[in-house]
Amino acid sequence: MTSPSAPTQEPDRYVVVGNPVAHSRSPDIHAAFARQTGEAVQYGRLLAPLDGFADAVREFFAGGGHGLNVTTPFKVEACALADRLTPRAEAAGAVNTMWIEDGLIHGDNTDGIGLVRDLEDHLGTPLEGARILLLGAGGAAMGAMLPLIACGPDRIVVANRTASRASDMLEEFAEAANEHGVELWGGGFEALAALTEEDVCDVVINATAGSLQGEVPPVPALLLGEGVLAYDMMYGAEPTVFLRHAASHGARTSDGLGMLVEQAAEAFYNWRGVRPDTGPVLAELRAALQAGAGS
């Protein structure tokens, strides 16, 4: 007589929600994290109607869902929907990670810490005492600011198409910058023309959506020379137009694929209390991206 087999643990359900969402690589990343850590996780995609994000999220959680990632265009709505926000989500005004705890919807923004870990851990670029030029003052830049400030750079310069938006952003983070001894400065893109070689930054981060439209922010060539790391939050099988432009002036370059993996790892940690080893997953994703480009 054989003994009954042990019951199989049902995996906890997670999704990435967006519109569109079919392109998201989050399921591949979290599947790799689950294999690596042995966590019982089932991760899929959820296409929410443009006017039905909140209902889709509530229905997912009511049906036993454990957590979700949020992508375009719902990050601001997710911030409003959450019952509890982490300080970095509150500062960003946007949420990309949600979960249920004690019957409440919790929201976090892991994009900025994902950027920081990619810069420091994968690209070997220490941010303490560094000079940083941040291009853009939209949601991506807002999500990056608090984690960047927490690293203790010497200075962060924010340049944006609309100078008033850059000024508003600097004002919003002035208190945090003061606490960490970080100098903040910024304005419109035209203000960059006044910078000299003495103002060259160690890291130039493109947080604009320009690469999606093939646009290059008007960064003077002297700010993109040898010794500078030019980083684009966008990624693809081929370098973005911003990265090609920066490389032509001698800068070291990197896209945002590592940021994507690292922000996912932080979300996974929020949900599971386990931090994956991101290096192998990033290498696997990069290889898949290159193979797709060659097919």
Side-chain angles (χ1 to χ4, degrees):
M1 181 175 175
T2 59
S3 60
S5 59
T8 303
Q9 179 186 356
E10 283 292 320
D12 296 331
R13 291 194 301 117
Y14 299 86
V15 295
V16 55
V17 57
N19 188 330
V21 77
H23 67 286
S24 175
R25 295 184 178 270
S26 292
D28 299 326
I29 295 171
H30 285 281
F33 289 163
R35 288 193 301 270
Q36 182 193 103
T37 62
E39 292 291 304
V41 166
Q42 180 187 69
Y43 193 106
R45 297 178 177 89
L46 175 61
L47 177 66
L50 292 176
D51 59 352
F53 170 75
D55 288 341
V57 170
R58 291 193 182 101
E59 183 178 343
F60 173 74
F61 283 132
H66 280 68
L68 51 84
N69 290 126
V70 183
T71 188
T72 305
F74 298 126
K75 292 184 180 183
V76 174
E77 281 188 67
C79 189
L81 179 61
D83 301 305
R84 296 285 186 273
L85 293 172
T86 63
R88 57 195 180 196
E90 190 170 4
V95 159
N96 75 336
T97 303
M98 307 183 87
W99 67 95
I100 289 286
E101 187 176 325
D102 299 327
L104 301 176
I105 299 177
H106 289 245
D108 190 13
N109 189 307
T110 66
D111 287 332
I113 193 64
L115 168 67
V116 164
R117 289 196 177 127
D118 190 28
L119 289 170
E120 294 197 320
D121 298 347
H122 297 299
L123 298 171
T125 305
L127 297 178
E128 184 177 2
R131 295 169 298 174
I132 299 170
L133 170 57
L134 183 62
L135 305 174
M142 288 286 289
M145 276 294 282
L146 197 60
L148 286 174
I149 289 171
C151 291
D154 177 62
R155 181 181 67 192
I156 299 177
V157 176
V158 176
N160 188 58
R161 187 184 304 275
T162 306
S164 61
R165 182 70 190 95
S167 298
D168 291 345
M169 180 170 154
L170 294 176
E171 185 176 342
E172 187 160 343
F173 289 97
E175 184 177 346
N178 185 59
E179 289 176 2
H180 288 85
V182 178
E183 178 189 353
L184 294 185
W185 180 87
F189 283 139
E190 66 277 1
L192 296 177
L195 299 182
T196 68
E197 290 186 0
E198 294 182 356
D199 302 308
V200 171
C201 294
D202 303 291
V203 184
V204 178
I205 302 168
N206 184 19
T208 74
S211 291
L212 293 176
Q213 289 84 39
E215 298 176 356
V216 178
V219 181
L222 68 87
L223 300 181
L224 296 171
E226 188 176 346
V228 175
L229 171 64
Y231 188 99
D232 199 326
M233 288 188 182
M234 301 295 175
Y235 68 90
E238 300 294 332
T240 66
V241 290
F242 170 72
L243 295 183
R244 292 199 300 271
H245 174 72
S248 72
H249 293 291
R252 182 166 64 103
T253 63
S254 176
D255 67 11
L257 191 65
M259 174 180 171
L260 177 71
V261 173
E262 289 294 341
Q263 66 79 26
E266 185 72 4
F268 195 88
Y269 179 77
N270 279 342
W271 297 331
R272 311 301 296 183
V274 176
R275 193 173 296 284
D277 180 3
T278 54
V281 178
L282 175 56
E284 180 182 324
L285 196 62
R286 179 71 71 188
L289 199 62
Q290 296 296 340
S295 61

